[in-house]
């Protein structure tokens, strides 16, 4: 029976439900004499440390050590509550009491807290980065008679993973440093620990059992907490635990980058774009982190699914006194796509055309290339998905029903929108596009699989298990996925960029191919056939077309062992054909594009600005799904996370630079009340992707951007309170912003009515 392509339960589903699944902080009981770390935090967004005295902390009962003099800790505070020292205690309470007794004096300095302030004061980490095609001044077709300009503010987003940042470090029996870390990138955590301690990397081992969510927030930002734990263990010789409670996790870690977009666009009477000029400004926070590649991906995805014949894009990373903003699901792609979708809606309403018509007229066609020079392979899929989704969702009939509802109700209005997604799959840093694996066969026919990816709930291990079972021809229960460790597979890439199955799955399949090639001659001799005629399926070896005469896979493995054949293999995969030159702004940074589209219907209350998402229909291109249930979960979860970012999740900082929305009571997350009342998800059929593991496609990030459809449906509902014209709405579309947008639409309608009467008189 084919295993890849089947809907199987998540490999840790039972453990998740029963609580048997272990996470980093569940392992503290394994470490006697464990010390607990707690930070001494600065009460300023920007300041100089002028004096530090930790004698009071050391005098506190239960305090063992303080970490103060190392270069890891700042003398210039760059964000509110930035740790300037750490206290290690026998108990967490002792460490907290010790931290409270540390005496630190500061010289407060002016702080930059917004993108606008950073632009005004010239505070930038980097930029401008540039991408361009054509000359917007060179061609002015006779039909070109329209242009518009504007700006869009896009808010950040808190990762709010269920498991907060956590690490445990200890000195192993050989004098090396070992860690359990909740990290998406164990190899980078290993690298950072080794660098801070001045050790070669082989002296540091990092293991990630699993994570309780990450969404990009543990790609880079898991490293500081692991380093603190390792530094404490190195100084004391005792195990050290660092775990941030929710309030500190939200205060001390980076978020999705807030963006400011300023744009000009020229377009024809039918809504087709002729030229576009965009300046993107991101709030990078106090340090660079991953802000540059996030900006590049935003610039890559300003086109979304649309051909831009002439375009100029500039990207700037602003330096502010906030936490260092970081990776978040979509990695800049959502911000870039939101800009073009906002622009196209403005174009449509300027011309009085349906937004879905303007979007479709601007789609890529076969043979066209992106503004960075990559051919848009399978551009026809955009049109196929669009056509099928409009039909399956009953879009046109629902458009008429929405119009009838709006005509009958002066206080509530409904909106309908459909938006596409074209998302590039690969790390934008070419060297990260590689994966490794180690597959071990045991004499009883059971299998252990080690690979470089990390499990954060997304189902990677489930897919890898299916790939291994399918590739070896064994049953699913005979395959065990081992915890990710740097001493099993070295120099791995982060589990990010929606590429983990592509990279690690292909590496595992490569190792399995090597093993089956070794086993085929053994099985052929047992079956009396040529090696190439052997088939391994469901834990049996047989000849093609004959399942009567067969041998158990375990028998073949035992025979191979007795003939002294190696029953382990290292697999490797590197993504072919990708490259990009930042200097020229040209290349092929992506192996392929994932496509999708969503129709959303929303209702807005004109009195309160509140909204409801009534229905969502999604058609997603997942290729040949390796694990359909996992992919469906990723699509549904990604959409809802995007819905949160675009509608209710608002990050606020006060005048002191303090995160004001620092917990679930002040930072609103999607709940059951925000779920669409009708939620339909379908996969594009006959969509196998060549040169990707089993014809599958990435599904982690693309669905998040489909939630732009809900935001556009809300704008459509706001427009129904008016009498035409552009609807401006910064993101997220909170009730306050919706209320003021409705008020503006009503005022424009009243002004239009007064003007019409005056003209009539």
């Amino acid at each position: 029976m084919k295993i890849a392509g089947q809907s199987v339960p998540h490999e840790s589903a039972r453990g998740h439900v029963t609580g048997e699944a272990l996470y980093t902080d569940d392992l503290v009981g394994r470490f006697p004499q464990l010390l607990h770390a707690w930070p001494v935090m600065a009460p300023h967004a920007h300041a100089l440390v002028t004096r530090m005295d930790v004698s009071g902390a050391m005098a506190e009962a239960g305090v063992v050590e303080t970490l103060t003099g190392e270069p890891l800790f700042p003398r210039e505070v760059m964000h509110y509550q930035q740790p300037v020292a750490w206290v290690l205690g026998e108990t967490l309470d002792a460490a907290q009491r010790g931290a409270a007794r540390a005496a630190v004096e500061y010289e407060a300095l002016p702080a930059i807290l917004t993108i606008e302030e950073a632009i005004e004061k010239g505070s930038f980490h980097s930029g401008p980065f540039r991408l361009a095609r054509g000359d917007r001044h060179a061609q002015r077709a006779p039909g070109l008679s329209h242009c518009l300009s504007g700006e869009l503010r896009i808010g950040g987003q808190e990762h709010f993973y269920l498991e907060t940042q956590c690490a445990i470090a200890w000195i192993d029996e050989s004098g090396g440093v070992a860690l359990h870390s909740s990290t998406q990138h164990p190899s980078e955590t290993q690298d950072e620990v080794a660098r801070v301690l001045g050790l070669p990397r082989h002296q540091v081992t990092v293991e990630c059992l699993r994570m309780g969510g990450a969404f990009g927030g543990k790609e880079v930002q898991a490293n500081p907490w692991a380093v603190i734990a390792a530094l404490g263990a190195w100084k004391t010789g005792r195990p050290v635990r660092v775990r941030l409670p929710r309030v500190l996790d939200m205060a001390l870690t980076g978020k999705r980058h807030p963006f400011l977009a300023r744009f000009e666009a020229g377009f024809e009477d039918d809504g087709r774009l002729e030229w576009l000029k965009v300046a993107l400004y991101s709030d990078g926070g106090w340090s660079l982190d991953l802000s540059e590649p996030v900006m590049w991906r935003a610039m890559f995805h300003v086109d979304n699914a649309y051909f831009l014949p002439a375009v100029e894009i500039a990207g700037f990373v602003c330096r502010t006194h906030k936490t260092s903003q970081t990776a978040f699901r979509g990695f800049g792609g959502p911000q870039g796509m939101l800009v073009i979708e906002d622009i196209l809606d403005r174009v449509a309403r300027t011309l009085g055309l349906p937004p879905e018509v303007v979007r479709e007229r601007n789609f890529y066609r076969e043979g066209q290339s992106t503004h960075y020079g990559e051919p848009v392979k399978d551009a026809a899929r955009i049109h196929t998905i669009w056509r099928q989704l409009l039909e399956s969702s009953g879009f046109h009939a629902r458009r008429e029903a929405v119009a009838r509802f709006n005509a009958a109700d002066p206080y509530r209005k409904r909106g309908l929108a459909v938006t596409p997604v074209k998302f590039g799959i690969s790390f934008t840093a070419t060297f990260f596009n590689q994966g490794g694996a180690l597959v071990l066969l045991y004499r009883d026919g059971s299998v252990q699989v080690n690979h470089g990816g990390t499990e954060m709930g997304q189902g990677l291990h489930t897919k890898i298990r299916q790939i291994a079972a399918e590739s070896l021809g064994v049953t699913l229960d005979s395959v065990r996925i081992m915890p990710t460790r740097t001493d099993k597979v070295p120099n791995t890439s982060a589990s990010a960029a929606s590429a983990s199955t592509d990279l690690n799955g292909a590496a595992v399949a490569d190792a399995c191919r090597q093993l089956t090639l070794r086993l085929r001659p053994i099985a052929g001799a047992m079956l009396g056939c040529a090696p190439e005629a052997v088939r391994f399926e469901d834990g049996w070896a047989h000849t093609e077309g004959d399942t009567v005469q067969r041998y158990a896979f375990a028998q073949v493995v035992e025979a191979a062992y007795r003939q002294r054949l190696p029953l382990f293999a290292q697999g490797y995969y590197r993504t072919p054909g990708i490259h990009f030159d930042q200097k020229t702004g040209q290349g092929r940074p992506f192996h392929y594009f994932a496509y999708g589209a969503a129709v959303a219907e929303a209702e807005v209350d004109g009195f309160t600005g509140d909204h409801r998402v009534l229905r969502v229909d999604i058609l997603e291109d997942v290729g040949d799904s390796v694990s359909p249930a996992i992919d469906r979960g990723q699509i549904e979860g990604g959409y809802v996370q995007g819905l949160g970012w675009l509608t209710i999740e608002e990050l606020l900082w006060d005048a002191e630079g303090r995160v004001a929305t620092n917990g679930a009571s002040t930072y609103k997350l999607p709940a059951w009340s925000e779920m669409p009342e009708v939620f339909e998800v379908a996969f594009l059929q006959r969509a196998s992707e060549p040169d990707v593991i089993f014809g599958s496609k990435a599904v982690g990030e693309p669905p998040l951007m489909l939630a732009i459809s809900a935001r556009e449906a809300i704008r459509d509902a706001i427009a129904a309170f008016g009498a035409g014209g552009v609807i401006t709405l910064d993101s997220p579309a909170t009730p306050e912003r919706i209320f003021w947008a409705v008020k503006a639409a009503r005022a424009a309608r009243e002004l239009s009515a007064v003007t019409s009467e005056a003209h009539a008189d």
Side-chain angles (χ1 to χ4, degrees):
M1 182 182 73
K2 188 174 176 62
I3 297 174
Q6 297 297 313
S7 287
V8 303
H10 191 288
E11 52 90 28
S12 292
R14 177 180 174 83
H16 292 162
V17 173
T18 63
E20 295 169 356
L22 299 178
Y23 298 84
T24 299
D25 206 50
D26 294 322
L27 307 176
V28 294
R30 300 180 181 181
F31 298 95
Q33 297 187 306
L34 181 76
L35 297 177
H36 302 261
W38 191 258
V40 178
M41 294 171 286
H44 303 282
H46 190 203
L48 295 177
V49 177
T50 57
R51 176 178 172 272
M52 181 180 294
D53 181 1
V54 295
S55 58
M58 290 300 296
E60 185 68 34
V63 170
V64 173
E65 185 59 273
T66 59
L67 307 177
T68 59
E70 293 74 13
L72 189 64
F73 304 108
R75 289 296 172 262
E76 182 180 2
V77 173
M78 297 298 288
H79 70 85
Y80 193 88
Q81 289 188 300
Q82 184 172 15
V84 296
W86 287 74
V87 177
L88 308 181
E90 300 282 1
T91 64
L92 182 59
D93 182 62
Q96 290 172 330
R97 285 186 281 106
R101 292 190 60 184
V104 187
E105 295 178 2
Y106 303 89
E107 177 190 342
L109 299 172
I112 296 172
L113 298 175
T114 68
I115 293 176
E116 288 85 352
E117 285 181 85
I119 295 171
E120 179 185 350
K121 296 179 180 179
S123 180
F124 298 103
H125 285 297
S126 50
F129 305 122
R130 297 192 184 278
L131 289 176
R133 171 169 56 195
D135 183 352
R136 69 187 183 95
H137 300 290
Q139 293 182 341
R140 289 297 181 98
L144 178 60
S145 56
H146 307 279
C147 63
L148 60 79
S149 62
E151 61 182 27
L152 175 66
R153 290 168 181 82
I154 304 172
Q157 187 176 21
E158 165 62 36
H159 299 87
F160 219 98
Y161 26 64
L162 291 178
E163 178 201 24
T164 57
Q165 300 279 3
C166 185
I168 301 170
W170 68 100
I171 306 302
D172 65 23
E173 69 285 351
S174 67
V177 180
L179 300 99
H180 284 289
S181 176
S182 184
T183 174
Q184 291 175 245
H185 200 172
S187 288
E188 187 173 86
T189 301
Q190 175 195 32
D191 180 29
E192 294 303 311
V193 169
R195 185 166 65 89
V196 169
L197 297 182
L199 297 173
R201 294 187 196 179
H202 77 282
Q203 285 291 92
V204 179
T205 303
V206 177
E207 176 176 337
C208 178
L209 188 61
R210 59 170 58 82
M211 288 168 280
F215 310 115
K218 298 174 182 177
E219 182 175 348
V220 166
Q221 300 218 348
N223 299 336
W225 325 114
V227 167
I228 295 297
L231 184 61
W234 190 255
K235 287 194 70 173
T236 65
R238 293 173 60 175
V240 173
R241 166 203 187 227
V242 174
R243 186 187 73 83
L244 302 185
R246 181 67 62 190
V247 66
L248 280 194
D249 197 289
M250 293 189 72
L252 302 184
T253 65
K255 325 295 180 191
R256 184 188 295 281
H257 290 72
F259 267 59
L260 169 64
R262 292 173 174 167
F263 52 82
E264 301 172 45
F267 49 97
E268 298 183 11
D269 288 335
D270 63 0
R272 285 183 296 161
L273 291 172
E274 278 293 325
W275 57 266
L276 180 66
K277 183 177 182 180
V278 179
L280 298 177
Y281 301 87
S282 71
D283 183 345
W286 75 275
S287 70
L288 200 50
D289 197 278
L290 291 170
S291 295
E292 286 188 356
V294 165
M295 176 56 73
W296 275 108
R297 189 171 279 267
M299 294 166 65
F300 287 144
H301 285 85
V302 160
D303 63 336
N304 192 8
Y306 311 109
F307 178 66
L308 307 178
V311 59
E312 300 174 26
I313 306 171
F316 302 81
V317 179
C318 297
R319 187 172 185 254
T320 63
H321 294 103
K322 294 178 182 173
T323 55
S324 185
Q325 314 308 358
T326 193
F328 201 124
R329 196 175 192 173
F331 203 79
Q335 293 96 318
M337 288 188 188
L338 188 59
V339 171
I340 191 64
E341 295 298 344
D342 190 275
I343 291 170
L344 287 177
D345 186 84
R346 296 189 192 209
V347 168
R349 297 190 189 282
T350 298
L351 297 171
L353 295 172
E356 62 272 12
V357 170
V358 170
R359 289 188 166 98
E360 185 173 8
R361 285 175 179 169
N362 282 282
F363 280 165
Y364 276 106
R365 264 66 178 176
E366 289 293 340
Q368 293 178 331
S369 298
T370 66
H371 52 294
Y372 46 89
E374 177 160 357
V376 181
K377 187 182 70 170
D378 293 331
R381 289 195 186 188
I382 304 170
H383 302 266
T384 299
I385 290 170
W386 193 261
R387 183 178 62 255
Q388 290 183 9
L389 183 62
L390 290 179
E391 182 178 349
S392 64
S393 66
F395 184 89
H396 297 296
R398 288 167 60 193
R399 173 66 84 193
E400 295 174 0
V402 163
R404 290 193 298 271
F405 178 91
N406 291 341
D409 194 326
Y411 309 116
R412 294 178 300 152
K413 303 294 183 184
R414 290 182 178 178
L416 189 66
V418 54
T419 59
V421 161
K422 174 186 69 66
F423 190 73
I425 304 300
S426 289
F427 286 96
T428 50
T430 302
F431 60 85
F432 279 139
N433 294 286
Q434 56 180 307
L438 173 63
V439 177
L440 313 176
L441 298 184
Y442 294 92
R443 293 168 64 184
D444 63 354
S446 62
V447 185
Q448 279 189 357
V449 175
N450 302 271
H451 64 92
T454 54
E455 176 61 49
M456 60 194 92
Q458 83 279 37
L460 174 63
H461 282 357
T462 305
K463 287 188 170 184
I464 295 292
R465 194 172 175 222
Q466 289 178 265
I467 289 168
E470 179 76 22
S471 299
L472 289 171
V474 299
T475 57
L476 197 60
D477 60 3
S478 66
V479 178
R480 180 185 178 191
I481 305 294
M482 304 305 293
T484 310
R485 289 177 58 106
T486 57
D487 59 355
K488 291 291 185 69
V489 181
N491 309 317
T492 59
S493 298
S495 293
S498 299
S500 296
T501 298
D502 290 5
L503 298 177
N504 298 291
V508 167
D510 178 51
C512 292
R513 278 192 294 270
Q514 296 175 47
L515 291 168
T516 55
L517 284 173
R518 292 175 200 164
L519 294 178
R520 276 205 171 94
I522 305 298
M526 297 167 70
L527 291 164
C529 68
E532 57 270 18
V534 173
R535 295 293 178 267
F536 294 107
E537 294 177 319
D538 299 326
W540 296 92
H542 58 83
T543 57
E544 187 172 9
D546 181 6
T547 58
V548 176
Q549 183 190 8
R550 61 183 186 174
Y551 289 91
F553 184 78
Q555 291 176 278
V556 179
V557 172
E558 175 66 22
Y561 168 75
R562 291 179 178 274
Q563 294 189 34
R564 297 188 296 176
L565 291 178
L567 297 175
F568 57 90
Q570 292 177 312
Y572 180 75
Y573 174 79
R574 54 180 288 180
T575 308
I578 54 174
H579 59 91
F580 181 73
D581 185 341
Q582 289 190 8
K583 293 180 180 179
T584 63
Q586 295 292 293
R588 184 174 179 254
F590 304 119
H591 187 36
Y592 61 88
F593 294 106
Y595 300 107
V599 170
E601 184 174 348
E603 182 177 292
V604 165
D605 186 314
F607 286 116
T608 65
D610 198 13
H611 79 274
R612 292 188 302 146
V613 178
L614 304 175
R615 176 173 169 177
V616 171
D617 295 76
I618 293 173
L619 182 56
E620 181 72 16
D621 173 16
V622 299
D624 290 337
S625 176
V626 170
S627 195
I630 295 295
D631 285 348
R632 182 174 296 274
Q634 286 288 285
I635 293 168
E636 293 172 349
Y639 189 94
V640 172
Q641 191 170 50
L643 187 65
W645 167 55
L646 291 165
T647 60
I648 61 173
E649 295 185 44
E650 185 172 29
L651 284 166
L652 298 172
W653 286 264
D654 65 18
E656 302 300 316
R658 179 191 297 110
V659 178
T661 47
N662 63 355
S665 61
T666 52
Y667 184 79
K668 184 169 174 55
L669 294 160
W672 285 112
S673 56
E674 279 71 47
M675 290 292 290
E677 296 174 13
V678 178
F679 202 173
E680 301 288 344
V681 175
F683 298 161
L684 182 66
Q685 299 300 302
R686 296 180 295 280
S688 183
E689 182 68 23
D691 301 325
V692 185
I693 183 69
F694 291 163
S696 65
K697 272 192 169 183
V699 73
E701 292 170 302
L704 184 139
M705 288 150 278
L706 292 174
I708 295 173
S709 61
R711 189 248 188 191
E712 294 304 299
I714 291 169
R715 288 175 82 195
D716 193 51
I718 294 169
F721 285 97
V726 170
I727 301 298
T728 59
L729 182 67
D730 285 337
S731 185
T734 59
E736 295 86 353
R737 289 195 176 96
I738 293 173
F739 174 83
W740 290 112
V742 168
K743 188 172 182 178
R746 283 172 164 162
R749 182 189 64 195
E750 292 169 2
L751 179 62
S752 176
V754 170
T755 303
S756 297
E757 289 178 9
H759 287 162
D761 293 340

